[in-house]
Amino acid sequence: IIYQNSEQRTSNDATMENQTKPKPPSAATPTAPTTPTTANGETLLGTPHSELSSICLSLLAAFVLARLLAVVSALATALAAPLTGFYLMSTCPTVESFDAKRELKRVLRGDNLPEDHPDKPKGFIGKALAKVTATIEAEAAALAGCSVEIIVSINFHG
């Protein structure tokens, strides 16, 4: 390039120097914060915005899940209570089907006791003796005038 004017030449040189020299940071030019990097240029720390957003999303998901479980639990309770009541009412035996003497004998024989209970009769002779004792006691109670009276407060069987 041939310069015709020395004034033009000095302005072009100044422009070229400005383009090649790095500018020092000034107060008007904001600089980005530096993050530690590895030799490959990857950042050691994740960006704070992505960590914060993932924590917020996790908390939001946990809250939504807890709220959903609460609603499902309330719905299950609202449906289970009447269904359980209906089942109990429909399987309840009638008053006429209850035989007090038979139930007394069953209890006195020890049929409702667990196998490892010390009062449960063991062996053939123990069971036979428990049956005879239960029959004698139940008949003695009936002869003495003991009876069972069932009072029905709500009649479910019509």
Side-chain angles (χ1 to χ4, degrees):
I1 300 176
I2 300 173
Y3 297 99
Q4 295 176 0
N5 188 342
S6 67
E7 184 179 313
Q8 185 181 9
R9 191 177 112 208
T10 54
S11 69
N12 284 341
D13 288 341
T15 307
M16 296 281 278
E17 285 177 1
N18 286 342
Q19 289 176 354
T20 57
K21 286 186 183 176
K23 294 182 180 179
S26 64
T29 309
T31 59
T34 60
T35 56
T37 57
T38 62
N40 298 338
E42 300 171 359
T43 58
L44 292 176
L45 301 174
T47 59
H49 297 294
S50 67
E51 289 176 18
L52 183 61
S53 63
S54 66
I55 290 171
C56 288
L57 279 175
S58 299
L59 288 175
L60 182 65
F63 177 74
V64 168
L65 186 63
R67 187 75 176 148
L68 182 68
L69 280 173
V71 168
V72 168
S73 175
L75 182 63
T77 302
L79 291 177
L83 291 175
T84 303
F86 178 71
Y87 172 76
L88 291 175
M89 286 185 257
S90 65
T91 59
C92 182
T94 61
V95 174
E96 293 81 25
S97 69
F98 183 75
D99 185 11
K101 193 185 288 185
R102 186 182 67 195
E103 293 299 318
L104 180 61
K105 285 182 186 180
R106 188 178 68 79
V107 170
L108 292 173
R109 280 193 311 258
D111 289 344
N112 61 337
L113 296 174
E115 291 297 322
D116 61 345
H117 197 277
D119 292 338
K120 182 145 181 128
K122 309 230 183 325
F124 176 74
I125 296 175
K127 289 180 182 179
L129 189 59
K131 274 186 180 181
V132 170
T133 305
T135 303
I136 292 171
E137 288 182 18
E139 292 300 327
L143 288 175
C146 294
S147 66
V148 175
E149 184 178 336
I150 298 175
I151 301 170
V152 178
S153 58
I154 301 173
N155 190 3
F156 295 114
H157 298 286

